[in-house]
Amino acid sequence: MPQDNIRPVEREIHLGDFQAFTCTACGLCCTRPWNIRIEPEVEAGIRGSEFFARREREGYKPLEVEDGGKVTAQRQGNGDCMFLAEEVTCGLHSELGGQGKPVGCQLYPYRA
């Protein structure tokens, strides 16, 4: 019998000091062909960012709401993430800081 009141368990992810990673601005995380899910906790900040507004002024639709309400980042014509800036940096990170990015981007190069 299905239970409608089951909620997912929220867990913190802790990486050991030996697993530290520092961004080298190589752009690999922003040019890989994966779907970037936008969590509700960061969606409002992204939509309110100047970088988001800039992409809309350029004629892009930066986020897509899929069936079921799942929100994902769109891709540029060349396949890069919509939020990759010209100088091979994350436009969201530059404006909102690391916590303003989707969790998948925050964890790169690690995957849960």
Side-chain angles (χ1 to χ4, degrees):
M1 172 167 68
Q3 296 179 357
D4 294 329
N5 61 350
I6 296 177
R7 296 184 321 182
V9 175
E10 292 186 28
R11 297 190 175 138
E12 289 186 38
I13 297 173
H14 299 278
L15 299 175
D17 291 337
F18 64 92
Q19 291 177 311
F21 174 78
T22 302
C23 178
T24 61
C26 68
L28 288 177
C29 57
C30 303
T31 58
R32 300 274 190 212
W34 51 50
N35 292 329
I36 304 298
R37 181 173 181 270
I38 308 296
E39 297 80 17
E41 305 82 49
V42 297
E43 182 182 354
I46 291 172
R47 288 186 184 277
S49 71
E50 177 53 37
F51 200 84
F52 181 91
R54 181 175 131 204
R55 287 296 193 216
E56 284 191 318
R57 286 191 302 272
E58 293 170 346
Y60 292 107
K61 181 181 173 189
L63 300 179
E64 179 179 352
V65 180
E66 299 176 357
D67 292 338
K70 178 180 170 185
V71 179
T72 57
Q74 291 297 290
R75 295 280 172 183
Q76 299 178 48
N78 64 1
D80 292 349
C81 176
M82 185 58 61
F83 300 106
L84 180 63
E86 294 80 19
E87 52 281 344
V88 193
T89 59
C90 175
L92 295 178
H93 189 112
S94 297
E95 183 176 345
L96 305 174
Q99 297 300 313
K101 299 187 301 185
V103 172
C105 300
Q106 291 178 37
L107 292 176
Y108 184 85
Y110 306 106
R111 289 197 196 192

